[in-house]
Amino acid sequence: MIKFVWLVVWLGGLGIIFYYWTPGFSSHSIWLSLGRLAALLGVYQILWQLLLIGRVRWLEKHIGLDRLSRIHHWNGYAAFTLILFHATVMLFVYGIAILKTDEVFKALLALLLLIGIIFISVSIVKLKLKYETWYFVHLFTYLAILLAFAHQLNLGGDLINPNFAHIW
């Protein structure tokens, strides 16, 4: 079963890459393309984060909560790295002017929230504090996702027009 889940994860990621690099899709530069692709893959990984630790019965039954927690842990770093790469590249490509839009400001708040959540969560685990404390901090992830969602739909050129990526 774990092999099937990994196959689905990888096929989904490869589907995003395949869609993104198909002929007819053009970008201003390779850095812009890589930054946008990192955003698409990062959001895809965030969605998997929710499934991995969302107590989905059939996943938990076949893989086990301990293993799902470990995968969630490492997948979280991968998702964060992709999103941080996206933000850094977009700032590099567009400059400070990009921060003037409301949608980017919300996305920046979401990124800062994610940074805070990761930092506090790692501290909670190292200090061996209560699970409830860790859980409460992780609830702010939903706020970060909500803040970033408008950015994704309003500025995400790959998601604006009703096409495969928009539906996906």
Side-chain angles (χ1 to χ4, degrees):
M1 184 59 169
I2 184 99
K3 290 179 183 180
F4 175 73
V5 171
W6 280 117
L7 179 66
V8 170
V9 170
W10 281 102
L11 286 177
L14 288 174
I16 291 169
I17 293 169
F18 176 76
Y19 161 77
Y20 193 80
W21 291 109
T22 56
F25 186 87
S26 61
S27 289
H28 303 295
S29 73
I30 188 69
W31 284 107
L32 182 60
S33 295
L34 290 173
R36 290 172 70 183
L37 181 59
L40 291 171
L41 291 171
V43 168
Y44 178 68
Q45 293 307 108
I46 291 288
L47 292 173
W48 272 104
Q49 284 295 89
L50 298 174
L51 282 174
L52 287 169
I53 210 68
R55 305 300 298 257
V56 179
R57 288 182 190 224
W58 63 271
L59 274 177
E60 203 171 316
K61 176 183 173 188
H62 294 288
I63 299 173
L65 186 58
D66 288 343
R67 195 172 203 186
L68 286 172
S69 295
R70 283 191 305 271
I71 296 169
H72 172 83
H73 171 85
W74 291 110
N75 186 64
Y77 286 120
F80 176 70
T81 301
L82 287 164
I83 291 169
L84 187 60
F85 179 80
H86 165 71
T88 304
V89 168
M90 291 300 115
L91 190 59
F92 174 73
V93 170
Y94 290 115
I96 200 75
I98 196 173
L99 298 177
K100 293 183 179 179
T101 67
D102 288 343
E103 304 306 337
V104 174
F105 182 71
K106 290 175 191 172
L108 180 60
L109 286 177
L111 179 61
L112 292 173
L113 257 175
L114 282 176
I115 291 169
I117 291 163
I118 292 168
F119 178 75
I120 293 169
S121 295
V122 169
S123 300
I124 289 170
V125 170
K126 285 186 178 184
L127 295 172
K128 298 181 180 178
L129 299 177
K130 291 182 180 180
Y131 167 80
E132 289 78 12
T133 307
W134 174 88
Y135 179 80
F136 178 73
V137 168
H138 265 65
L139 288 178
F140 284 97
T141 304
Y142 296 106
L143 177 60
I145 291 170
L146 188 63
L147 285 169
F149 191 64
H151 165 76
Q152 295 164 11
L153 293 181
N154 292 327
L155 295 180
D158 305 305
L159 303 176
I160 292 173
N161 299 321
N163 56 27
F164 172 76
H166 183 84
I167 293 164
W168 180 252

